Amino acid sequence: MSDLAGWGNYPRLPSEQLTPLRSGTIPPLLASRTGLIARGQGRAYGDAAIGMAATLSTGGLSRMRRFDPDSGELTVEAGVTIADILTTFVPRGFFLKVVPGTKFVSIGGAIAADVHGKNHHRDGGFGDHVVALRLMLPSGESVTCSRHLNAELFHATVGGMGLTGIITEATLTLMPIETGWLVQETHVADDLEAAMAALEATASHTYSVAWIDCLARGAALGRSLIYAADHAGLADKDRFAPARDPFPPQRRPGPSMPSFTPGFALNPLSVRAFNALYFSRGARHAATPRLVHWDPYFFPLDAIGHWNRIYGVRGFLQHQCVIPAHNARSVLAEILERVARRGSASVLAVLKQLGDSHGLMSFPLRGYTLAMDFPIQDSLFDFLDELDAFVSAAGGRIYLAKDARQSRATFMAGYTGLDRLRDIRRQIGATDKLVSHLSARLGI
């Protein structure tokens, strides 16, 4: 028994840790325990991947099984990471159709959270590109799930936060690419209205995301830099940089935070100063398309090892909400105004457009998602409850993969598939067997 935490380092909770190296060794572990949940790379921010009694690591399930270059179908075990796949297949001219903001996520975790990227408005979530998966039920039986076989269980597992079984293997569809570069355009938005208009105007690009200065106030409330990009073809690469290798070497690991930063390092003055510098620096590249490496475009924070330590030993909370499109402008403005007045928020806040989702418990709704990090302070929890009230009133919801503290009332108001998930969990015997701290806290 030892303490575990998510990426936000809050909460830290005791749990027995199990580390099977083959899927065949999992059934007896399931048979002898209750209150168990699977855990990949531990990149869920809160308590979603911490079992009430036991936590089963899928890190040992790390083999790539099969790849068909004609169809792009790749079969891997659940512990394989996005980084593993990109390292192996980008030089061969293939890319995952959806990637989240970090490549250090297991495939099992990506499916369980139905992670989304900068192209959800066009291409949906990670689960939309899963052909099939192998799921070990609480009984120890292993079943294949797809849109055509055990379809209801498939849709409950995509976005189901590990509560329907242990994903042991998955088949994904990769897409062909001509180069490892992207053509990126930077657009400057002086306020929230302009930022949302820019995201709508760049929706024809494959990828579009806004860095938003969540401490700007007044006329500058919501000022942003919008990064729109498409995979570069050989002609694009030759036009911008004919001497460059079509598939550049992978970015070398950057510096790592050696220990937790003192809590006073991130204060309103330092964050405002950084945001001002970042905004002015980004504005210098506006309106000029340029070639960028795939790694820093998709995974900017991965350049700093253990970047979560910057928030100090108490940790941090991320508040990621989605607001339906028809309510988004007014609700996001109210949230940003309250955050700016409080003066304590992240240097990397993100605003994106989302489309529809298909998992029973998937997070996205057609609208806008805003993600902000907050260092933990005693007053933070009440403040985030206030933000949740605006989200719920607008018909939005909070992302379970980033959550560590939302109330049951907020959760139940946002996730209309909950009753059906509970029914499925009862049918497969998961109610007591598969229990995370998140599911216990929210009554799933």
Side-chain angles (χ1 to χ4, degrees), residues 248-271:
Q250 190 162 344
R251 182 173 62 178
R252 295 178 180 177
S256 182
M257 292 292 295
S259 60
F260 290 103
T261 300
F264 60 78
L266 278 183
N267 58 68
L269 288 178
S270 65
V271 174

Side-chain angles (χ1 to χ4, degrees), residues 35-93:
L36 181 146
I37 203 71
R39 179 183 179 97
Q41 293 293 303
R43 288 299 180 114
Y45 279 45
D47 52 2
I50 306 174
M52 284 297 291
T55 302
L56 186 146
S57 170
T58 61
L61 309 181
S62 57
R63 286 159 284 273
M64 297 189 193
R65 296 296 194 187
R66 295 176 296 279
F67 179 62
D68 181 348
D70 294 326
S71 66
E73 290 188 2
L74 170 68
T75 300
V76 299
E77 291 182 332
V80 170
T81 67
I82 285 173
D84 295 331
I85 293 173
L86 296 179
T87 297
T88 303
F89 286 96
V90 168
R92 299 172 65 176

Side-chain angles (χ1 to χ4, degrees), residues 203-259:
S204 60
H205 291 275
T206 309
Y207 306 103
S208 184
V209 63
W211 168 86
I212 189 164
D213 183 354
C214 53
L215 295 187
R217 299 184 65 180
L221 181 74
R223 68 174 181 174
S224 304
L225 299 170
I226 293 83
Y227 301 108
D230 300 281
H231 288 282
L234 284 170
D236 297 313
K237 195 278 299 183
D238 290 342
R239 177 162 58 96
F240 286 101
R244 288 183 172 175
D245 188 331
F247 292 99
Q250 190 162 344
R251 182 173 62 178
R252 295 178 180 177
S256 182
M257 292 292 295
S259 60

Side-chain angles (χ1 to χ4, degrees), residues 183-189 198 202 205 224-228 239-240 279-291:
V183 178
Q184 175 187 296
E185 298 175 1
T186 303
H187 301 266
V188 178
T202 57
H205 291 275
S224 304
L225 299 170
I226 293 83
Y227 301 108
R239 177 162 58 96
F240 286 101
F279 184 81
S280 62
R281 185 168 177 259
R284 290 201 296 270
H285 297 291
T288 304
R290 61 193 186 106
L291 213 60

Side-chain angles (χ1 to χ4, degrees), residues 320-323 357 362-365 391 395-399 414-416:
Q320 182 168 3
C321 64
V322 59
I323 308 296
S357 60
S362 293
F363 164 71
L365 298 167
V391 174
R397 54 194 180 211
I398 307 298
Y399 192 15
Y415 286 86
T416 57

Side-chain angles (χ1 to χ4, degrees), residues 5-12 42-46 260 307-308 311-318 374 376 404:
W7 189 243
N9 202 40
Y10 174 88
R12 297 197 67 84
R43 288 299 180 114
Y45 279 45
F260 290 103
W307 64 260
N308 54 337
Y311 289 98
V313 71
R314 293 189 69 183
F316 71 99
L317 298 173
Q318 182 170 113
F374 299 87
I376 289 182

